[in-house]
Amino acid sequence: MNCIQLIIKKGIIALFLFCFLPVLLPAQPALQNVYNRKTSSLNGQWHYIVDPYETGYYNYRYQPYDVVDKASTSAFYNNYHAKNKQELVEYDFNRSPKMQVPGDWNSQKENLFYYEGTIWLKRSFQYPLLKKGSRLLLHFGAVNYRAEVYLNGHKLGIHEGGFTSFDFDVTPYLNTDSNFLVVKADNRRIKDGVPGINTDWFNYGGITRDVTLVETPDIYIRDYALQLARGNAHKIAGYVQLNRFASNSPVQVDIPELGVRTQFATDSTGRAAFEIDVDSIRYWSTEQPVLYNCTIRTNREELKDRIGFRTIETAGQDILLNGKPVLLKGISMHEENSAKGSRANSRAEAVESLSRAKQLGCNYVRLAHYPHNEYMVQVADSMGMMVWDEIPVYWTIDFSNPRVLRNAAAQLSEMISRDKNRASVIIWSVANETPPTSERNYFLLQLIRQARLQDATRLVSAALEQHTGNSGVHMVNDSIGQHLDIVAFNQYTGWYGGSLKDAPNMKWEIGYHKPVVISEFGGDAKYGLHGTKEERWTEEYQEYLYEQNLKMIMKIPGVRGMSPWILADFRSPKRLLPGVQDGWNRKGLLTGDGKKKKAYFTLRNFYTNWTLKN
Ligand code: GCU
């Protein structure tokens, strides 16, 4: 073989590895169940430096940026202060302004409203001397979009993806007195990002979710799963994963109300996989969201969680919750405090938005278009609300780029890893409105396969698009549908085309004998703007749009759910009609501060009467 042939051969091997590696080696599992561990919060006021020219790196005049130099007096991650009146230092965190963490910078500082770029954030903290045999982890709920994290000048690592959690073991880098933590957050939209550069939501940047220190034993419970085995309502299948290889470590699982108290031993990889037969169990459901007190113990640690057990499957065109057909009476929502126009990130905000969905008559929510904060799925568990959980593979990302696939696969892995013990989560969604090209089909198929590998107990779907065939029939026959459990699609009859008057007589053809969910429909209305049902932007138009779409949807074969777009008006830089949108997408049934538009009552009334019989 000559050298050309050798180079080609190596190239093909490298390409193969890039392509398949993402689905073979999911990212390190997220640290499971942070909130029930021994934690200290680093939330609060952090100093920040706006750095649009990337000045904060060590050798900002030269590439590459990722040279870390602890001696550098110019690198922001060293938090350096001039030692005398001669020394040249052109930054100082302690004399810089502060912002609240967690919190997006756009809604906190008027001069940062549209800022897209780098901001360095810093806070100091003290931590008591760790006992021998203990570790300290630093956990982030999310940083949008790309984070670089430094502790006392050491680069801990980076994370890409604005909506999933990540953590670092900081034990070796702790100072006995004071520590300084520096985070470089960069919310630039990038062509090879996930999402890409074009989204219909506001690009809130910053440390947008909780920052937490977590103290653990040296060998600790890194991850665990406790859910009913797929298709077996009397068997809990699960595992406990320690943070490192440790064979024959005893692991105990207790579920007192189920009379479960059982012990296992880890294998050489520190993992104990098990099945537990359970006879009489009260299943989690939307009417009775039963959660069981579960305790996982090792000889060094005890971790408590409250977990619901249920089955979710499909049979023909039915969705079965605990073996019974169910309708998904839903609504879509963004992760936004619409009253403030900011990223939502607290338990109180989760309770408010899910309570609003409950009042609307929903038993299901579509968390669009990215994993929401962990409080949302915890509250959905206790409230009895089923959840569609989605990664931001949105519109036209770069489907032909292996790096983008690795990124999407990592975000999918992190989403599933974090939420896999939440009974409320019934659907993993791998995409929203993506063009059905061959690259995209390959890309999504990898993600679907990964989702099924990582979690065989839940349904997999994606929000597809419909198109009108020659005969005027509306078709949903996207080839990726053959790999999905639920055929979900967005349609905007009466808003982006089509006649509302004729809508109830429109013909639909769904290419698969599977449950059908209308993942989006809707139209804008400015609250308080009134007119005739023919006048776009009025509440009457939106009301008529809902009336006509609901009549049409009821005639689509196999419809078992819907999540109209959207619960509340939300910020979008794409929505600019003065006096009507003003930077907001007005498809909400509620205004940001919760006022109900007329269409709200149309949908609530529909959900009150919608049954599997009609
Ligand atoms: C799209 C998309 C949403 C968007 C909505 C709209 O289908 O999925 O993210 O906000 O429709 O146009 O308002």
Side-chain angles (χ1 to χ4, degrees), residues 71-107:
S72 164
T73 58
S74 59
F76 292 2
Y77 51 73
N78 282 332
N79 185 32
Y80 188 76
H81 302 282
K83 290 201 173 22
N84 54 56
K85 293 199 181 306
Q86 281 71 44
E87 198 169 9
L88 170 62
V89 180
E90 297 180 273
Y91 77 97
D92 184 332
F93 272 116
N94 294 348
R95 289 158 52 187
S96 300
K98 290 185 171 184
M99 71 167 75
Q100 179 63 22
V101 167
D104 65 271
W105 57 62
N106 315 80
S107 63

mmCIF file of all heavy atoms in Angstrom, residues 71-107:
data_model
loop_
_atom_site.group_PDB
_atom_site.id
_atom_site.type_symbol
_atom_site.label_atom_id
_atom_site.label_comp_id
_atom_site.label_asym_id
_atom_site.label_seq_id
_atom_site.Cartn_x
_atom_site.Cartn_y
_atom_site.Cartn_z
ATOM 1 N N ALA A 71 1.021 32.065 35.611
ATOM 2 C CA ALA A 71 1.862 33.223 35.987
ATOM 3 C C ALA A 71 1.372 34.496 35.304
ATOM 4 O O ALA A 71 1.816 35.591 35.615
ATOM 5 C CB ALA A 71 3.304 32.946 35.575
ATOM 6 N N SER A 72 0.438 34.342 34.379
ATOM 7 C CA SER A 72 0.038 35.517 33.604
ATOM 8 C C SER A 72 -0.670 36.549 34.473
ATOM 9 O O SER A 72 -1.594 36.219 35.232
ATOM 10 C CB SER A 72 -0.927 35.085 32.481
ATOM 11 O OG SER A 72 -1.582 36.216 31.985
ATOM 12 N N THR A 73 -0.229 37.797 34.363
ATOM 13 C CA THR A 73 -0.905 38.870 35.133
ATOM 14 C C THR A 73 -2.036 39.488 34.303
ATOM 15 O O THR A 73 -2.766 40.322 34.798
ATOM 16 C CB THR A 73 0.122 39.979 35.469
ATOM 17 O OG1 THR A 73 0.655 40.463 34.219
ATOM 18 C CG2 THR A 73 1.226 39.454 36.349
ATOM 19 N N SER A 74 -2.139 39.028 33.031
ATOM 20 C CA SER A 74 -3.198 39.638 32.202
ATOM 21 C C SER A 74 -4.396 38.712 32.021
ATOM 22 O O SER A 74 -5.464 39.151 31.640
ATOM 23 C CB SER A 74 -2.634 39.994 30.815
ATOM 24 O OG SER A 74 -2.151 38.813 30.210
ATOM 25 N N ALA A 75 -4.195 37.416 32.316
ATOM 26 C CA ALA A 75 -5.296 36.462 32.100
ATOM 27 C C ALA A 75 -6.331 36.611 33.205
ATOM 28 O O ALA A 75 -5.982 36.522 34.391
ATOM 29 C CB ALA A 75 -4.747 35.035 32.082
ATOM 30 N N PHE A 76 -7.575 36.803 32.830
ATOM 31 C CA PHE A 76 -8.633 37.058 33.827
ATOM 32 C C PHE A 76 -8.806 35.877 34.766
ATOM 33 O O PHE A 76 -9.187 36.048 35.930
ATOM 34 C CB PHE A 76 -9.962 37.330 33.121
ATOM 35 C CG PHE A 76 -10.019 38.611 32.338
ATOM 36 C CD1 PHE A 76 -8.905 39.453 32.237
ATOM 37 C CD2 PHE A 76 -11.174 38.998 31.678
ATOM 38 C CE1 PHE A 76 -8.958 40.626 31.510
ATOM 39 C CE2 PHE A 76 -11.243 40.176 30.952
ATOM 40 C CZ PHE A 76 -10.130 40.994 30.872
ATOM 41 N N TYR A 77 -8.548 34.660 34.274
ATOM 42 C CA TYR A 77 -8.810 33.487 35.123
ATOM 43 C C TYR A 77 -7.835 33.427 36.300
ATOM 44 O O TYR A 77 -8.016 32.635 37.216
ATOM 45 C CB TYR A 77 -8.764 32.188 34.315
ATOM 46 C CG TYR A 77 -7.535 32.001 33.461
ATOM 47 C CD1 TYR A 77 -6.307 31.694 34.016
ATOM 48 C CD2 TYR A 77 -7.610 32.150 32.078
ATOM 49 C CE1 TYR A 77 -5.167 31.535 33.241
ATOM 50 C CE2 TYR A 77 -6.479 31.993 31.293
ATOM 51 C CZ TYR A 77 -5.252 31.692 31.874
ATOM 52 O OH TYR A 77 -4.141 31.546 31.088
ATOM 53 N N ASN A 78 -6.801 34.279 36.296
ATOM 54 C CA ASN A 78 -5.876 34.293 37.451
ATOM 55 C C ASN A 78 -6.308 35.292 38.512
ATOM 56 O O ASN A 78 -5.696 35.386 39.575
ATOM 57 C CB ASN A 78 -4.451 34.617 36.983
ATOM 58 C CG ASN A 78 -3.799 33.388 36.341
ATOM 59 O OD1 ASN A 78 -4.150 32.251 36.709
ATOM 60 N ND2 ASN A 78 -2.921 33.616 35.390
ATOM 61 N N ASN A 79 -7.327 36.091 38.201
ATOM 62 C CA ASN A 79 -7.855 37.055 39.188
ATOM 63 C C ASN A 79 -6.713 37.826 39.853
ATOM 64 O O ASN A 79 -6.596 37.929 41.069
ATOM 65 C CB ASN A 79 -8.650 36.297 40.266
ATOM 66 C CG ASN A 79 -9.319 37.243 41.250
ATOM 67 O OD1 ASN A 79 -9.716 38.359 40.880
ATOM 68 N ND2 ASN A 79 -9.397 36.834 42.506
ATOM 69 N N TYR A 80 -5.831 38.384 39.016
ATOM 70 C CA TYR A 80 -4.624 39.045 39.492
ATOM 71 C C TYR A 80 -4.919 40.491 39.907
ATOM 72 O O TYR A 80 -5.830 41.119 39.367
ATOM 73 C CB TYR A 80 -3.562 39.024 38.380
ATOM 74 C CG TYR A 80 -2.207 39.513 38.828
ATOM 75 C CD1 TYR A 80 -1.370 38.708 39.600
ATOM 76 C CD2 TYR A 80 -1.787 40.806 38.504
ATOM 77 C CE1 TYR A 80 -0.147 39.166 40.026
ATOM 78 C CE2 TYR A 80 -0.562 41.263 38.927
ATOM 79 C CZ TYR A 80 0.263 40.449 39.690
ATOM 80 O OH TYR A 80 1.473 40.916 40.118
ATOM 81 N N HIS A 81 -4.189 40.980 40.915
ATOM 82 C CA HIS A 81 -4.316 42.386 41.319
ATOM 83 C C HIS A 81 -2.934 43.012 41.320
ATOM 84 O O HIS A 81 -1.965 42.396 41.802
ATOM 85 C CB HIS A 81 -4.940 42.478 42.721
ATOM 86 C CG HIS A 81 -6.274 41.823 42.803
ATOM 87 N ND1 HIS A 81 -7.427 42.424 42.330
ATOM 88 C CD2 HIS A 81 -6.647 40.583 43.236
ATOM 89 C CE1 HIS A 81 -8.450 41.596 42.499
ATOM 90 N NE2 HIS A 81 -8.007 40.468 43.041
ATOM 91 N N ALA A 82 -2.858 44.240 40.851
ATOM 92 C CA ALA A 82 -1.555 44.916 40.777
ATOM 93 C C ALA A 82 -0.932 44.949 42.173
ATOM 94 O O ALA A 82 -1.600 45.261 43.153
ATOM 95 C CB ALA A 82 -1.755 46.330 40.246
ATOM 96 N N LYS A 83 0.347 44.636 42.235
ATOM 97 C CA LYS A 83 1.021 44.568 43.540
ATOM 98 C C LYS A 83 1.603 45.920 43.950
ATOM 99 O O LYS A 83 1.986 46.134 45.095
ATOM 100 C CB LYS A 83 2.126 43.512 43.486
ATOM 101 C CG LYS A 83 1.584 42.076 43.402
ATOM 102 C CD LYS A 83 2.584 41.052 43.849
ATOM 103 C CE LYS A 83 1.990 39.624 43.920
ATOM 104 N NZ LYS A 83 0.796 39.400 43.099
ATOM 105 N N ASN A 84 1.734 46.819 42.996
ATOM 106 C CA ASN A 84 2.273 48.152 43.353
ATOM 107 C C ASN A 84 1.765 49.160 42.332
ATOM 108 O O ASN A 84 1.083 48.810 41.392
ATOM 109 C CB ASN A 84 3.813 48.101 43.344
ATOM 110 C CG ASN A 84 4.303 47.558 42.008
ATOM 111 O OD1 ASN A 84 3.961 48.105 40.954
ATOM 112 N ND2 ASN A 84 5.027 46.437 42.064
ATOM 113 N N LYS A 85 2.183 50.395 42.511
ATOM 114 C CA LYS A 85 1.619 51.454 41.668
ATOM 115 C C LYS A 85 2.213 51.490 40.276
ATOM 116 O O LYS A 85 1.790 52.236 39.417
ATOM 117 C CB LYS A 85 1.785 52.803 42.376
ATOM 118 C CG LYS A 85 0.944 52.933 43.647
ATOM 119 C CD LYS A 85 0.783 54.381 44.035
ATOM 120 C CE LYS A 85 -0.018 54.549 45.313
ATOM 121 N NZ LYS A 85 -1.350 53.862 45.234
ATOM 122 N N GLN A 86 3.272 50.678 40.065
ATOM 123 C CA GLN A 86 3.874 50.679 38.726
ATOM 124 C C GLN A 86 3.279 49.570 37.853
ATOM 125 O O GLN A 86 3.242 49.676 36.644
ATOM 126 C CB GLN A 86 5.388 50.421 38.792
ATOM 127 C CG GLN A 86 6.220 51.630 39.179
ATOM 128 C CD GLN A 86 6.012 51.984 40.638
ATOM 129 O OE1 GLN A 86 5.993 51.093 41.468
ATOM 130 N NE2 GLN A 86 5.811 53.253 40.923
ATOM 131 N N GLU A 87 2.809 48.527 38.510
ATOM 132 C CA GLU A 87 2.482 47.336 37.715
ATOM 133 C C GLU A 87 1.304 47.573 36.764
ATOM 134 O O GLU A 87 0.319 48.226 37.135
ATOM 135 C CB GLU A 87 2.144 46.177 38.655
ATOM 136 C CG GLU A 87 2.222 44.829 37.958
ATOM 137 C CD GLU A 87 2.149 43.681 38.966
ATOM 138 O OE1 GLU A 87 1.869 43.903 40.162
ATOM 139 O OE2 GLU A 87 2.350 42.544 38.516
ATOM 140 N N LEU A 88 1.443 47.052 35.538
ATOM 141 C CA LEU A 88 0.378 47.207 34.530
ATOM 142 C C LEU A 88 -0.583 46.035 34.610
ATOM 143 O O LEU A 88 -0.247 44.919 34.245
ATOM 144 C CB LEU A 88 0.988 47.266 33.116
ATOM 145 C CG LEU A 88 -0.039 47.180 31.968
ATOM 146 C CD1 LEU A 88 -0.997 48.362 32.010
ATOM 147 C CD2 LEU A 88 0.663 47.082 30.621
ATOM 148 N N VAL A 89 -1.757 46.292 35.142
ATOM 149 C CA VAL A 89 -2.820 45.267 35.123
ATOM 150 C C VAL A 89 -4.091 45.980 34.675
ATOM 151 O O VAL A 89 -4.470 46.981 35.280
ATOM 152 C CB VAL A 89 -3.037 44.632 36.523
ATOM 153 C CG1 VAL A 89 -4.146 43.580 36.456
ATOM 154 C CG2 VAL A 89 -1.747 44.042 37.045
ATOM 155 N N GLU A 90 -4.735 45.486 33.614
ATOM 156 C CA GLU A 90 -5.853 46.239 33.025
ATOM 157 C C GLU A 90 -7.209 45.606 33.305
ATOM 158 O O GLU A 90 -8.133 45.726 32.500
ATOM 159 C CB GLU A 90 -5.620 46.353 31.505
ATOM 160 C CG GLU A 90 -4.360 47.137 31.160
ATOM 161 C CD GLU A 90 -4.161 47.242 29.665
ATOM 162 O OE1 GLU A 90 -3.552 46.313 29.092
ATOM 163 O OE2 GLU A 90 -4.634 48.230 29.067
ATOM 164 N N TYR A 91 -7.312 44.879 34.410
ATOM 165 C CA TYR A 91 -8.643 44.404 34.821
ATOM 166 C C TYR A 91 -8.614 44.232 36.328
ATOM 167 O O TYR A 91 -7.547 44.185 36.949
ATOM 168 C CB TYR A 91 -8.991 43.082 34.149
ATOM 169 C CG TYR A 91 -8.297 41.877 34.758
ATOM 170 C CD1 TYR A 91 -8.930 41.078 35.701
ATOM 171 C CD2 TYR A 91 -6.983 41.555 34.408
ATOM 172 C CE1 TYR A 91 -8.293 39.981 36.274
ATOM 173 C CE2 TYR A 91 -6.335 40.460 34.969
ATOM 174 C CZ TYR A 91 -6.989 39.683 35.896
ATOM 175 O OH TYR A 91 -6.349 38.604 36.465
ATOM 176 N N ASP A 92 -9.802 44.172 36.943
ATOM 177 C CA ASP A 92 -9.856 43.890 38.390
ATOM 178 C C ASP A 92 -11.280 43.444 38.727
ATOM 179 O O ASP A 92 -12.215 44.256 38.728
ATOM 180 C CB ASP A 92 -9.495 45.138 39.199
ATOM 181 C CG ASP A 92 -9.458 44.823 40.703
ATOM 182 O OD1 ASP A 92 -10.188 43.891 41.126
ATOM 183 O OD2 ASP A 92 -8.712 45.488 41.441
ATOM 184 N N PHE A 93 -11.439 42.165 38.939
ATOM 185 C CA PHE A 93 -12.794 41.659 39.229
ATOM 186 C C PHE A 93 -13.420 42.388 40.415
ATOM 187 O O PHE A 93 -14.589 42.755 40.405
ATOM 188 C CB PHE A 93 -12.734 40.150 39.539
ATOM 189 C CG PHE A 93 -12.839 39.261 38.326
ATOM 190 C CD1 PHE A 93 -11.792 38.440 37.954
ATOM 191 C CD2 PHE A 93 -13.994 39.263 37.539
ATOM 192 C CE1 PHE A 93 -11.877 37.613 36.837
ATOM 193 C CE2 PHE A 93 -14.101 38.441 36.424
ATOM 194 C CZ PHE A 93 -13.037 37.627 36.064
ATOM 195 N N ASN A 94 -12.627 42.580 41.465
ATOM 196 C CA ASN A 94 -13.206 43.118 42.708
ATOM 197 C C ASN A 94 -13.714 44.547 42.557
ATOM 198 O O ASN A 94 -14.521 45.016 43.336
ATOM 199 C CB ASN A 94 -12.186 43.033 43.850
ATOM 200 C CG ASN A 94 -11.885 41.571 44.189
ATOM 201 O OD1 ASN A 94 -12.608 40.674 43.714
ATOM 202 N ND2 ASN A 94 -10.826 41.336 44.926
ATOM 203 N N ARG A 95 -13.227 45.226 41.494
ATOM 204 C CA ARG A 95 -13.728 46.587 41.256
ATOM 205 C C ARG A 95 -14.720 46.608 40.089
ATOM 206 O O ARG A 95 -15.120 47.658 39.603
ATOM 207 C CB ARG A 95 -12.554 47.533 40.976
ATOM 208 C CG ARG A 95 -11.707 47.821 42.234
ATOM 209 C CD ARG A 95 -10.312 48.288 41.919
ATOM 210 N NE ARG A 95 -10.279 49.416 40.995
ATOM 211 C CZ ARG A 95 -9.138 49.900 40.468
ATOM 212 N NH1 ARG A 95 -7.991 49.295 40.756
ATOM 213 N NH2 ARG A 95 -9.137 50.927 39.669
ATOM 214 N N SER A 96 -15.075 45.393 39.623
ATOM 215 C CA SER A 96 -16.028 45.290 38.495
ATOM 216 C C SER A 96 -17.444 45.135 39.049
ATOM 217 O O SER A 96 -17.625 44.736 40.206
ATOM 218 C CB SER A 96 -15.654 44.080 37.630
ATOM 219 O OG SER A 96 -14.331 44.253 37.144
ATOM 220 N N PRO A 97 -18.448 45.424 38.224
ATOM 221 C CA PRO A 97 -19.844 45.312 38.702
ATOM 222 C C PRO A 97 -20.215 43.859 39.009
ATOM 223 O O PRO A 97 -19.471 42.936 38.717
ATOM 224 C CB PRO A 97 -20.669 45.860 37.541
ATOM 225 C CG PRO A 97 -19.789 45.778 36.346
ATOM 226 C CD PRO A 97 -18.385 45.878 36.826
ATOM 227 N N LYS A 98 -21.420 43.709 39.578
ATOM 228 C CA LYS A 98 -21.895 42.376 39.959
ATOM 229 C C LYS A 98 -23.230 42.072 39.285
ATOM 230 O O LYS A 98 -23.975 42.983 38.927
ATOM 231 C CB LYS A 98 -22.090 42.300 41.481
ATOM 232 C CG LYS A 98 -20.794 42.328 42.283
ATOM 233 C CD LYS A 98 -21.103 42.115 43.765
ATOM 234 C CE LYS A 98 -19.833 41.919 44.585
ATOM 235 N NZ LYS A 98 -20.158 41.620 46.014
ATOM 236 N N MET A 99 -23.467 40.759 39.119
ATOM 237 C CA MET A 99 -24.801 40.342 38.670
ATOM 238 C C MET A 99 -25.193 39.092 39.458
ATOM 239 O O MET A 99 -24.348 38.423 40.038
ATOM 240 C CB MET A 99 -24.840 40.050 37.169
ATOM 241 C CG MET A 99 -24.122 38.802 36.717
ATOM 242 S SD MET A 99 -24.561 38.380 34.998
ATOM 243 C CE MET A 99 -23.621 39.613 34.091
ATOM 244 N N GLN A 100 -26.493 38.804 39.446
ATOM 245 C CA GLN A 100 -27.023 37.671 40.195
ATOM 246 C C GLN A 100 -26.766 36.377 39.427
ATOM 247 O O GLN A 100 -26.965 36.293 38.219
ATOM 248 C CB GLN A 100 -28.532 37.836 40.418
ATOM 249 C CG GLN A 100 -29.197 36.697 41.184
ATOM 250 C CD GLN A 100 -28.673 36.536 42.611
ATOM 251 O OE1 GLN A 100 -28.123 37.476 43.189
ATOM 252 N NE2 GLN A 100 -28.827 35.344 43.165
ATOM 253 N N VAL A 101 -26.280 35.376 40.126
ATOM 254 C CA VAL A 101 -26.149 34.010 39.590
ATOM 255 C C VAL A 101 -26.982 33.100 40.483
ATOM 256 O O VAL A 101 -26.901 33.212 41.710
ATOM 257 C CB VAL A 101 -24.674 33.564 39.604
ATOM 258 C CG1 VAL A 101 -24.553 32.059 39.368
ATOM 259 C CG2 VAL A 101 -23.881 34.321 38.548
ATOM 260 N N PRO A 102 -27.851 32.225 39.929
ATOM 261 C CA PRO A 102 -28.122 32.082 38.500
ATOM 262 C C PRO A 102 -28.917 33.248 37.945
ATOM 263 O O PRO A 102 -29.713 33.859 38.670
ATOM 264 C CB PRO A 102 -28.951 30.784 38.435
ATOM 265 C CG PRO A 102 -29.654 30.736 39.756
ATOM 266 C CD PRO A 102 -28.702 31.325 40.750
ATOM 267 N N GLY A 103 -28.672 33.510 36.681
ATOM 268 C CA GLY A 103 -29.437 34.562 36.014
ATOM 269 C C GLY A 103 -28.796 34.904 34.692
ATOM 270 O O GLY A 103 -27.563 34.982 34.604
ATOM 271 N N ASP A 104 -29.649 35.107 33.687
ATOM 272 C CA ASP A 104 -29.103 35.566 32.407
ATOM 273 C C ASP A 104 -28.694 37.018 32.526
ATOM 274 O O ASP A 104 -29.313 37.787 33.277
ATOM 275 C CB ASP A 104 -30.162 35.386 31.307
ATOM 276 C CG ASP A 104 -31.360 36.276 31.558
ATOM 277 O OD1 ASP A 104 -32.299 35.839 32.257
ATOM 278 O OD2 ASP A 104 -31.314 37.438 31.111
ATOM 279 N N TRP A 105 -27.668 37.427 31.797
ATOM 280 C CA TRP A 105 -27.228 38.823 31.895
ATOM 281 C C TRP A 105 -28.134 39.773 31.092
ATOM 282 O O TRP A 105 -28.285 40.924 31.438
ATOM 283 C CB TRP A 105 -25.778 38.995 31.445
ATOM 284 C CG TRP A 105 -25.403 38.548 30.062
ATOM 285 C CD1 TRP A 105 -25.885 39.025 28.873
ATOM 286 C CD2 TRP A 105 -24.445 37.540 29.723
ATOM 287 N NE1 TRP A 105 -25.302 38.380 27.818
ATOM 288 C CE2 TRP A 105 -24.399 37.472 28.303
ATOM 289 C CE3 TRP A 105 -23.601 36.700 30.432
ATOM 290 C CZ2 TRP A 105 -23.553 36.597 27.615
ATOM 291 C CZ3 TRP A 105 -22.764 35.825 29.765
ATOM 292 C CH2 TRP A 105 -22.744 35.761 28.385
ATOM 293 N N ASN A 106 -28.811 39.258 30.106
ATOM 294 C CA ASN A 106 -29.633 40.086 29.230
ATOM 295 C C ASN A 106 -30.742 40.805 30.008
ATOM 296 O O ASN A 106 -31.011 41.982 29.784
ATOM 297 C CB ASN A 106 -30.265 39.242 28.126
ATOM 298 C CG ASN A 106 -29.260 38.297 27.516
ATOM 299 O OD1 ASN A 106 -28.978 37.226 28.104
ATOM 300 N ND2 ASN A 106 -28.669 38.662 26.398
ATOM 301 N N SER A 107 -31.383 40.098 30.912
ATOM 302 C CA SER A 107 -32.516 40.696 31.638
ATOM 303 C C SER A 107 -32.058 41.422 32.893
ATOM 304 O O SER A 107 -32.834 42.142 33.523
ATOM 305 C CB SER A 107 -33.511 39.596 32.044
ATOM 306 O OG SER A 107 -32.871 38.690 32.936
#
